[in-house]
Amino acid sequence: MELGLWAFGTAVAAFGITAVIGKFLVPFLHKLNFGQTILEIGPKWHKSKQGTPTMGGIMFIIGIVVATTAGVLLYAIGHGGMDPAGYQVFVGLLFALLNGAIGFFDDFVKVVKKRNLGLTAKQKLVLQFLAAAVYLLLMYLVKDDTRILIPFAGYIDLGFFYYIIMAIVLVGIVNATNLTDGIDGLDGSITFFASLFMMLMATVIGQNDNTIFSAAVAGGCLGFLVWNFHPAKCFMGDTGSLFLGGAVCAIALAMDMHLLLILIALTYLLEMFSVVLQVSYFKLTHGKRIFKMSPIHHHFEMCGWSEMKIVCVFSGFTAVCGLISLLLVIFGVRGV
């Protein structure tokens, strides 16, 4: 019960800080003319979004970082000091911030040069793998553990290959989260449900600090949706989407939920795989397409689905994945 109050307080703090910052940040981004450039090949109705302020992810980054830091430190003070999971939270925050910084530079190039493309794909990948390497090194120092937990079976040790596999997984899911940010409220809503169920998972296995971290991410996402829900007054930009991808990955790895991360992040991954399939099929068939447009949320948009419907369906799918993950933790992980 006490932990629930801490988590609720942290979520409310993250929500409030994020929503209030938006009141000042959105007009400021307008004043700087930091507007989103819309791709010509995108849905024609997206043209009306041209010039909507981007880099709005700054508001929830501040909200999440402040709420998490205060929540974890105050909880530690009131409960006899910080346990190892608390240090992992701050390592995870750093990883999310490093990815957010990469997104910030990408967004900055876009808004300054008034184009939809910022850093090159190669530049982003190099920076993202460096961020993953820093994160994994710090996690090695805080928690030297190369095992992954398999529900109902227990741990298996991957040894050195753990770091190679995890680097690829981290960069992949961070980029998948970025690709999911394509329509009003989508990325924020999906991440809200992902972090909500990770909060419940952390509570079940007794990782209180990750419960607080997850609650802050959920609250920050809700605070951002005040400004990003359709019709969006601002976009999170790569600044926000890469940060959220890093946060989701960090929470899951700190809880030893490596395999369940795939399930929690399945909506992001399906978005990414739709792009991979589209591009591969286009090249193999010399111009044919599987989807009307990728990522797949645009396919449904081109099929006549409203942005609101897509957000609801994709969020619902994420919630189902989260519920299955929670049940696996309750019956297949707890006590292993």
Side-chain angles (χ1 to χ4, degrees), residues 59-76:
M59 69 177 80
F60 63 70
I61 290 176
I62 296 172
I64 291 169
V65 170
V66 171
T68 301
T69 302
V72 170
L73 291 179
L74 290 173
Y75 189 84

Side-chain angles (χ1 to χ4, degrees), residues 91-251:
V91 173
L93 269 180
L94 175 63
F95 178 61
L97 284 168
L98 288 174
N99 279 287
I102 295 168
F104 178 85
F105 287 120
D106 190 42
D107 287 333
F108 191 77
V109 172
K110 293 175 185 176
V111 296
V112 168
K113 296 191 176 182
K114 300 300 178 186
R115 66 186 192 192
N116 193 267
L117 300 175
L119 298 174
T120 66
K122 184 180 293 186
Q123 289 171 332
K124 289 174 73 173
L125 280 175
V126 168
L127 291 172
Q128 287 168 342
F129 273 108
L130 284 173
V134 170
Y135 169 72
L136 291 171
L137 174 61
L138 291 174
M139 285 294 284
Y140 168 78
L141 297 174
V142 173
K143 173 192 174 186
D144 181 11
D145 191 352
T146 55
R147 301 175 302 163
I148 64 171
L149 180 59
I150 301 176
F152 301 105
Y155 287 92
I156 61 169
D157 196 338
L158 298 178
F160 175 75
F161 292 103
Y162 171 88
Y163 297 103
I164 297 173
I165 295 170
M166 285 305 109
I168 295 171
V169 169
L170 290 169
V171 173
I173 291 179
V174 166
N175 279 308
T177 308
N178 183 31
L179 288 170
T180 305
D181 182 34
I183 60 176
D184 298 354
L186 183 61
D187 219 353
S189 298
I190 289 172
T191 307
F192 166 75
F193 283 103
S195 55
L196 177 65
F197 279 98
M198 286 196 296
M199 179 189 74
L200 297 174
M201 291 159 62
T203 303
V204 168
I205 62 175
Q207 289 209 5
N208 302 338
D209 296 297
N210 279 303
T211 297
I212 292 170
F213 187 10
S214 303
V217 175
C221 287
L222 280 182
F224 180 67
L225 287 173
V226 171
W227 302 98
N228 184 241
F229 209 71
H230 185 74
K233 299 176 181 66
C234 74
F235 302 136
M236 67 173 67
D238 287 4
T239 305
S241 60
L242 294 181
F243 174 90
L244 290 180
V248 168
C249 288
I251 294 168

